[in-house]
């Protein structure tokens, strides 16, 4: 038998091996080391920096869901923020009477049921028409929340958790506590994602995406597969929304508008559609880009020379942020449609083969 | 409780003055993104007034360190900016911006005990719970709308009123209070419509109001949609039949610019002086704009500038509304 630690490639000889979660031991160890690093990372960060990580991890969960619906099943959805909203409002309404480890999955299930219903048009329409159906749901969600006194008509519903198993949660440890909770949930949903996609349901998603009539001829049920894709994607969104509600201490409808849905889609595209790594790299890239452009913008504003060369009345520094976002998305679509995942794959294969070129 | 907090803040400032130290002040708002036409000048007003206060040594022995940050009208960014400030240079006062972000931050603000003055005048910000550290420097949107209803009651008994509100928590904030006020004043709220930007033809809306016998329209919105409704009312000849009025963000220089002649007769409830009034605060505003080379567009966002000077001087600058 080959030494498993000396593998330089995949030597899969059976179906079981082909469907394993990790390709080799090295990959398993790398993931374990990454998790350890993520666990100790907050020790070196300020509270507000941990907050940024929390947002990245929450968006990663939502983007993973979007990657099931759009990345794997090929069903364009611009309603992921609304699914997050369904989860968040479910959490807001149930949090006074239930513990968070029940409310968050409950939010996911509520979103999944909604996703199942929203997915029904996917049985009849495809592509841009389906995108319009999800867009309609996104707008209907905001409309319904805005007219529901039970949901404070879109204004804030507080979601506070002050105590967990005797641990007092205050401003000082709020971000740290939720970081570990969100990380734990992310690990769970990633495992579930990988588990789903290595089985027959995952392959059915790909088959239906590539050609639903051929998939039907091969004994798969395209309708059920599409509805399942919508429900699962929405479940991930609902869980992300529930966590966001706790992390932000309140739910307001402005968090779940079309702009957020488009941002999530942009994160999925930048990260690389249909990949776990891309689902995490995309949100991280967009959030860090926002941070660094913001700093650059502030530096430009305070720099007398830059201010002196820009025309009067033109605020270049403020325009930098929206400009850079648009530019990044367009550049990725044109030059690297496979997203950051492809860069990650190239770097990994370089080190795998090092010192040999091939 | 609030009085105690104000006294404590004053005591802290006094202590800072005695020791000659730097006082951190934080402003975050939409310099870019939605409502940046208002947020940009507001931030500029804060920057200028802080600069002016430091140059003129308005507070003896105290240097104001005013941090002006762009939250792009996004709640997560507002939260990050606020928490960053708490981590690095804890502000003595936080000047907030949008309704949604302020409502969301309310529990946190209360927990960390930072006196906060939001640009939003949503009544929910100062209602319990978690309201001890929220201060509205002006009357709330709801109070402005109720004031307009009371004004109507003085001239016309049992009036039929329609509310046109922005499709957001900002717009909807006034609806319940208006309904209660109508009940108290013997008025009838005939209809409540949500109208946002892009309302290019309001014929159906105005015809429906006319058919329902509406005598007054009260707006809780921003100037753009109101201007379109005013222009359509004039085109349909309903401007004399139905009187229109609205709360703070519906009027001012923006409305006059957008609606032109159709704005004639529009009644505006505002807690601020207008730019053409000769008051010490407005004059100071003009002086600062000239001193720091600010454009006319920035100067025209007068309420932002007034709120700005209210912020830096504790609400007692001449021409600014009192806290």
């Amino acid at each position: 038998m080959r030494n498993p630690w000396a593998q330089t490639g995949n030597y899969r000889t059976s179906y079981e091996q082909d469907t394993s979660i990790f390709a080799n031991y090295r990959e398993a160890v790398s993931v374990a080391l990454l998790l350890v690093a993520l666990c100790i990372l907050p020790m070196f960060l300020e509270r507000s920096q941990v907050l940024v990580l929390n947002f990245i991890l929450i968006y990663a969960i939502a983007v993973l869901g979007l990657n099931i619906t759009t990345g794997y099943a090929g069903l364009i959805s611009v309603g992921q923020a609304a699914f997050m909203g369904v989860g968040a409002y479910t959490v807001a309404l149930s949090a006074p009477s239930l513990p968070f480890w029940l409310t968050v999955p409950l939010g996911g299930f509520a979103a999944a049921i909604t996703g199942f219903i929203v997915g029904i048009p996917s049985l009849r329409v495809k592509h841009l028409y389906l995108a319009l159906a999800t867009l309609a749901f996104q707008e209907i969600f905001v409309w319904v929340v805005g007219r529901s006194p039970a949901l404070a008509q879109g204004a804030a519903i507080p979601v506070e958790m002050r105590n967990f198993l005797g641990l007092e949660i205050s401003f000082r440890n709020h971000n740290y506590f939720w970081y570990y909770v969100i990380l734990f949930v992310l690990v769970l949903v990633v495992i579930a994602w990988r588990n789903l996609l290595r089985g027959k349901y995952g392959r059915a998603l790909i088959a239906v995406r590539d050609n639903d009539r051929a998939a039907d001829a091969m004994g798969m049920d395209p309708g059920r597969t599409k509805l399942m894709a919508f429900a699962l994607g929405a479940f991930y969104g609902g869980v992300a929304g529930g966590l966001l509600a706790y992390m932000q201490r309140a739910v307001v409808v402005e968090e779940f508008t079309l702009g957020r849905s488009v941002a999530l889609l942009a994160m999925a595209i930048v990260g690389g559609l249909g990949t776990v790594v891309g689902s995490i790299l995309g949100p991280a890239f967009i959030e860090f880009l926002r941070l660094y452009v913001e700093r650059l913008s502030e530096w430009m504003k305070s720099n007398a020379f830059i201010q002196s060369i820009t025309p009067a009345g033109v605020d270049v520094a403020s325009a930098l942020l929206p400009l850079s976002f648009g530019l990044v998305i367009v550049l990725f679509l044109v030059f690297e449609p496979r997203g950051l995942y492809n860069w990650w794959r190239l770097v990994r294969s370089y080190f795998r083969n090092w010192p040999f070129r091939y | 409780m609030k009085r105690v907090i104000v006294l404590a803040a004053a005591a802290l400032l006094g202590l800072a003055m005695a020791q000659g130290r730097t006082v951190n002040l934080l402003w975050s708002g939409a310099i870019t993104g939605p409502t940046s036409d208002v947020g940009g000048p507001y931030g500029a007003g804060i920057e200028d007034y802080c600069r002016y206060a430091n140059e003129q040594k308005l507070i003896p022995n105290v240097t104001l360190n005013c941090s002006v940050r762009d939250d792009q009208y996004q709640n997560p960014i507002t939260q990050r900016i606020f928490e960053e400030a708490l981590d690095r240079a804890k502000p003595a006062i936080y000047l907030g911006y949008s309704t949604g972000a302020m409502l969301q931050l309310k529990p946190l603000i209360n927990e960390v005990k930072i006196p906060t003055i939001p640009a939003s005048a949503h009544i929910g910000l100062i209602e319990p719970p978690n309201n001890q550290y929220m201060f509205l420097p002006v009357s709330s949107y709801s109070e402005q709308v109720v004031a307009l209803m009371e004004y109507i009651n003085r001239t016309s008994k049992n009036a039929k009123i329609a509310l046109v509100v922005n499709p957001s928590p900002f717009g909807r904030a006034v609806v319940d209070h208006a309904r209660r006020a109508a009940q108290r004043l013997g008025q009838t709220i005939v209809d409540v419509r949500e109208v946002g930007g892009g309302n290019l033809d309001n014929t159906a809306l105005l015809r429906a109001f006319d058919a329902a016998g509406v005598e007054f329209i009260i707006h809780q919105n921003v100037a753009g949609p109101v201007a379109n409704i005013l222009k359509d009312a004039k085109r349909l000849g309903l401007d004399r039949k139905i009187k229109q009025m609205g709360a703070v963000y519906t009027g001012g220089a923006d409305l006059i610019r957008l609606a032109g002649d159709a704005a004639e007769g529009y009644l505006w409830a505002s807690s601020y002086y207008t730019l053409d009034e000769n008051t010490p605060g407005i004059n100071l505003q003009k002086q600062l704009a000239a001193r720091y080379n600010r454009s006319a567009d920035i100067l025209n966002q007068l309420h932002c500038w007034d709120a700005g000077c209210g912020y830096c001087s504790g609400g007692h600058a001449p021409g600014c509304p009192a806290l």
Side-chain angles (χ1 to χ4, degrees):
Chain A
M1 187 186 166
R2 289 185 184 91
N3 178 359
W5 295 96
Q7 284 183 14
T8 54
N10 295 326
Y11 304 100
R12 296 168 182 166
T13 53
S14 67
Y15 177 72
E16 283 72 27
Q17 283 178 343
D18 204 34
T19 58
S20 61
I21 287 183
F22 297 109
N24 51 42
Y25 286 107
R26 198 164 48 190
E27 198 174 292
V29 171
S30 306
V31 170
L33 286 175
L34 176 70
L35 278 176
V36 171
L38 285 173
C39 283
I40 58 170
L41 184 62
M43 294 174 192
F44 307 101
L45 299 175
E46 289 177 348
R47 276 180 301 214
S48 53
Q49 290 169 325
V50 177
L51 180 74
V52 175
L53 288 184
N54 287 350
F55 280 122
I56 290 170
L57 297 184
I58 286 173
Y59 294 148
I61 295 171
V63 171
L64 270 171
L66 191 60
N67 265 323
I68 294 176
T69 318
T70 303
Y72 263 85
L75 306 164
I76 300 170
S77 170
V78 280
Q80 191 70 352
F83 293 128
M84 284 179 77
V86 172
Y89 277 104
T90 306
V91 163
L93 296 178
S94 57
S97 48
L98 292 173
F100 87 92
W101 46 270
L102 273 180
T103 57
V104 172
L106 194 66
F109 283 117
I113 293 166
T114 315
F116 184 86
I117 296 164
V118 172
I120 290 172
S122 69
L123 304 179
R124 291 281 174 190
V125 293
K126 282 183 177 180
H127 312 306
L128 282 175
Y129 301 99
L130 180 60
L132 277 177
T134 58
L135 176 70
F137 164 66
Q138 171 68 61
E139 292 303 316
I140 288 167
F141 170 77
V142 175
W143 191 91
V144 168
V145 171
R147 281 155 186 80
S148 304
L151 303 177
Q153 292 194 302
I157 303 178
V159 183
E160 292 191 82
M161 198 179 80
R162 295 282 180 186
N163 195 291
F164 178 68
L165 299 175
L167 172 73
E168 193 190 339
I169 299 161
S170 68
F171 166 66
R172 294 184 193 289
N173 59 1
H174 178 91
N175 289 350
Y176 295 95
F177 173 78
W178 285 107
Y179 172 81
Y180 288 110
V181 171
I182 296 164
L183 184 63
F184 178 73
V185 174
L186 179 65
V187 170
L188 283 185
V189 296
V190 166
I191 291 170
W193 203 83
R194 285 292 287 256
N195 229 9
L196 170 83
L197 297 177
R198 70 197 178 119
K200 64 177 183 178
Y201 292 111
R203 286 194 297 277
L205 289 174
I206 299 166
V208 168
R209 176 191 67 193
D210 291 345
N211 191 324
D212 50 2
R213 276 175 292 185
D216 196 8
M218 291 169 82
M220 295 167 210
D221 184 341
R224 199 176 62 180
T225 306
K226 287 177 180 179
L227 290 178
M228 186 188 74
F230 259 105
L232 278 173
F235 177 85
Y236 277 60
V239 168
L243 292 167
L244 188 71
Y246 277 111
M247 221 257 307
Q248 294 196 303
R249 301 175 181 86
V251 180
V252 292
V253 75
E254 288 167 11
E255 286 299 293
F256 310 108
T257 54
L258 180 63
R260 175 78 62 222
S261 281
V262 173
L264 291 171
L265 202 55
M267 287 173 186
I269 291 167
V270 168
L273 278 172
T275 61
V276 174
V277 175
S279 302
I280 297 163
L281 288 180
F285 181 83
I286 294 286
E287 286 300 303
F288 284 122
L289 178 76
R290 188 194 304 280
L291 268 178
Y292 285 105
V293 173
E294 197 179 290
R295 280 186 197 157
L296 180 64
S297 169
E298 280 169 7
W299 174 79
M300 283 172 72
K301 272 186 179 171
S302 60
N303 188 294
F305 174 71
I306 289 175
Q307 290 302 310
S308 67
I309 58 169
T310 50
V314 178
D315 191 351
V316 179
S318 295
L320 200 64
L321 207 58
L323 183 76
S324 59
F325 275 117
L327 195 65
V328 159
I329 291 163
V330 169
L331 289 177
F332 265 97
L333 282 172
V334 174
F335 296 108
E336 190 51 280
R338 285 172 295 182
L340 289 168
Y341 170 75
N342 196 41
W343 294 3
W344 164 258
R345 191 182 62 80
L346 293 172
V347 170
R348 206 175 54 164
S349 68
Y350 173 83
F351 282 104
R352 184 182 290 158
N353 298 334
W354 189 87
F356 305 107
R357 202 164 166 200
Y358 299 105
Chain B
M1 178 65 188
K2 286 205 165 187
R3 194 165 291 176
V4 173
I5 293 163
V6 172
L7 285 173
L12 269 174
L13 195 64
L15 193 67
M17 284 165 69
Q19 293 179 340
R21 54 181 271 210
T22 300
V23 172
N24 297 313
L25 302 170
L26 171 68
W27 179 89
S28 75
I31 296 175
T32 57
T35 77
S36 57
D37 55 330
V38 176
Y42 188 0
I46 299 295
E47 271 174 2
D48 290 353
Y49 194 84
C50 279
R51 210 166 137 192
Y52 175 74
N54 286 337
E55 283 170 6
Q56 299 295 311
K57 299 194 187 330
L58 292 184
I59 312 172
N61 295 325
V62 169
T63 306
L64 294 175
N65 175 29
C66 297
S67 176
V68 172
R69 306 283 306 272
D70 178 18
D71 69 11
Q72 301 154 52
Y73 208 79
Q74 290 192 37
N75 301 352
I77 300 179
T78 314
Q79 188 181 354
R80 172 166 59 76
I81 287 171
F82 183 63
E83 294 204 21
E84 265 176 21
L86 294 175
D87 277 345
R88 290 163 200 180
K90 196 173 176 178
I93 295 175
Y94 171 45
L95 200 67
Y97 191 76
S98 71
T99 299
M102 289 297 100
L103 285 169
Q104 198 163 49
L105 279 178
K106 219 174 121 186
L108 176 60
I109 285 167
N110 210 57
E111 192 180 341
V112 297
K113 299 180 172 54
I114 301 283
T116 298
I117 304 173
S120 164
H122 190 293
I123 192 85
L125 292 170
I126 52 168
E127 281 179 343
N130 300 322
N131 62 335
Q132 280 97 335
Y133 289 84
M134 281 282 187
F135 300 90
L136 298 190
V138 294
S139 55
S140 69
Y141 303 136
S142 302
E143 286 164 324
Q144 290 165 24
V145 166
V146 171
L148 287 170
M149 293 171 76
E150 285 173 351
Y151 171 78
I152 291 170
N153 200 46
R154 269 196 262 155
T155 54
S156 173
K157 297 290 172 194
N158 304 319
K160 287 187 170 182
I161 299 169
L163 292 179
V164 178
V165 302
N166 192 268
S168 66
F170 149 73
R172 295 176 196 120
V174 303
V175 177
D176 280 349
H177 298 98
R179 284 190 196 283
R180 271 180 263 155
Q183 212 168 14
R184 177 169 57 85
L185 298 167
Q187 296 166 331
T188 311
I189 303 277
V190 176
D191 203 350
V192 179
R193 294 287 184 99
E194 295 195 358
V195 178
N199 59 332
L200 297 179
D201 188 350
N202 302 283
T203 307
L205 176 91
L206 289 163
R207 290 275 186 227
F209 285 167
D210 186 32
V214 168
E215 299 163 88
F216 298 92
I217 299 173
I218 299 181
H219 296 273
Q220 161 60 0
N221 217 317
V222 288
V226 178
N228 289 339
I229 293 172
L230 285 171
K231 284 191 278 190
D232 285 347
K234 191 177 168 77
R235 177 173 54 80
L236 296 168
L238 292 172
D239 52 334
R240 288 190 188 147
K241 200 171 174 189
I242 303 175
K243 177 94 179 154
Q244 302 199 42
M245 53 191 72
V248 58
Y249 290 118
T250 61
D254 280 350
L255 186 76
I256 293 166
R257 183 169 49 84
L258 293 168
D261 290 348
E264 188 66 40
Y266 181 79
L267 197 67
W268 181 39
S270 172
S271 306
Y272 306 100
Y273 291 114
T274 56
L275 204 59
D276 52 7
E277 284 174 287
N278 183 17
T279 67
I282 292 295
N283 293 337
L284 175 65
Q285 219 170 275
K286 290 175 182 169
Q287 186 194 327
L288 290 183
R291 186 184 178 113
Y292 299 116
N293 298 321
R294 296 297 187 182
S295 65
D297 281 347
I298 287 181
L299 181 61
N300 279 335
Q301 294 294 343
L302 63 110
H303 42 273
C304 301
W305 280 65
D306 259 349
C309 60
Y311 164 58
C312 285
S313 62
H316 298 300
C320 291
L323 276 172

